[in-house]
Amino acid sequence: MSFTDLNMKMTSNLQGVLMDVKAKEVKEGDIQSTMFNSILNVPVKITLASNGNITNVDGGDKLVTKMMDASGITDATTLATIKTSLGKEYGTEGLANSFKQMTYIYPNAANKVAVGDTWENEYTGKLNTKNKWTLEAQDANTTTLSCTADVVMTVKDANANMDLTGTQTTKAVANAKTGFITSMEVTGSSTGNSTVPMLGDQEIPTKIISTIIYKTIE
């Protein structure tokens, strides 16, 4: 796989726009756009098991190195901080955890299932989920799945720490011949507390409600 484009925008109701990156459009003097542009069209090899579990990612750490080189930053402490942050998302383990939720959706090959049957698996990373999948329907072209999950979200970085728990539901439609999804909608709700290092140990009640939609684009 490779990234052909990356568009990211992050806003805060208190601080306005925190990030607005279109990786194909490098802005002069904009370190973020330069960094993300550096990883476009760089191949990464992902190895999958028959159930969709990602068994190996080769090349993820190369993406992190290219982003760090493109940043132009020379301070060792700053580079170490950036490497840790980027590694969680774009390093070998980070990519495996991110893509796994779009591929690791099937039972083990030894467990044949029929419409209405269920099976379980788990995802780990910043978001830990225990998933119960159901085969809703299947024909020669399309496989339809649903999933309910218990969620534990643990985020610890320089800006904020979050410890949340909740639930998540998934509806997925996949190509029955290749196994890859054509569309997937993931909705979740998690609550708990956050802490911000600059505020000490003060706990901030936190709730995250999300809807994430994945689609295969021809």
Side-chain angles (χ1 to χ4, degrees):
M1 60 78 65
S2 62
F3 292 106
T4 57
D5 199 6
L6 282 168
N7 299 317
M8 291 172 286
K9 186 173 184 178
M10 184 182 300
T11 62
S12 165
N13 60 341
L14 298 177
Q15 297 174 300
V17 178
L18 302 176
M19 175 187 290
D20 190 3
V21 173
K22 295 180 176 62
K24 283 187 176 180
E25 303 173 10
V26 178
K27 299 178 182 178
E28 186 176 352
D30 186 334
I31 293 176
Q32 289 179 334
S33 66
T34 302
M35 290 171 64
F36 285 106
N37 178 265
S38 72
I39 66 173
L40 297 185
N41 303 308
V42 177
V44 174
K45 183 178 179 180
I46 298 176
T47 304
L48 301 174
S50 61
N51 59 8
N53 192 16
I54 295 176
T55 59
N56 187 58
V57 177
D58 184 15
D61 294 334
K62 180 172 63 177
L63 298 182
V64 175
T65 299
K66 290 183 73 68
M67 294 175 82
M68 293 173 62
D69 291 344
S71 73
I73 297 171
T74 58
D75 179 71
T77 302
T78 303
L79 283 174
T81 302
I82 292 175
K83 182 178 182 179
T84 299
S85 178
L86 292 176
K88 292 177 181 178
E89 302 293 336
Y90 300 97
T92 293
E93 186 175 352
L95 286 176
N97 290 334
S98 294
F99 285 107
K100 193 176 291 187
Q101 60 187 308
M102 292 184 288
T103 63
Y104 187 20
I105 59 178
Y106 296 110
N108 294 329
N111 300 331
K112 293 184 179 181
V113 296
V115 172
D117 286 349
T118 63
W119 62 95
E120 298 180 355
N121 63 15
E122 295 184 22
Y123 303 150
T124 59
K126 285 185 177 179
L127 192 68
N128 295 282
T129 64
K130 292 185 176 181
N131 312 297
K132 184 175 182 179
W133 292 91
T134 302
L135 178 59
E136 298 288 351
Q138 185 169 33
D139 57 33
N141 299 310
T142 303
T143 301
T144 304
L145 308 171
S146 66
C147 176
T148 58
D150 293 321
V151 174
V152 176
M153 181 185 295
T154 303
V155 178
K156 298 186 183 299
D157 59 33
N159 298 313
N161 301 315
M162 289 192 295
D163 289 295
L164 311 176
T165 59
T167 58
Q168 182 173 278
T169 60
T170 300
K171 297 179 180 179
V173 178
N175 183 309
K177 296 177 182 178
T178 66
F180 288 102
I181 66 165
T182 54
S183 66
M184 177 182 282
E185 181 173 315
V186 184
T187 59
S189 178
S190 298
T191 59
N193 293 300
S194 299
T195 58
V196 179
M198 66 186 337
L199 298 179
D201 296 328
Q202 179 181 349
E203 293 188 339
I204 304 169
T206 303
K207 183 174 185 178
I208 296 179
I209 299 174
S210 62
T211 299
I212 304 171
I213 298 173
Y214 303 94
K215 290 185 178 180
T216 299
I217 302 174
E218 300 294 342

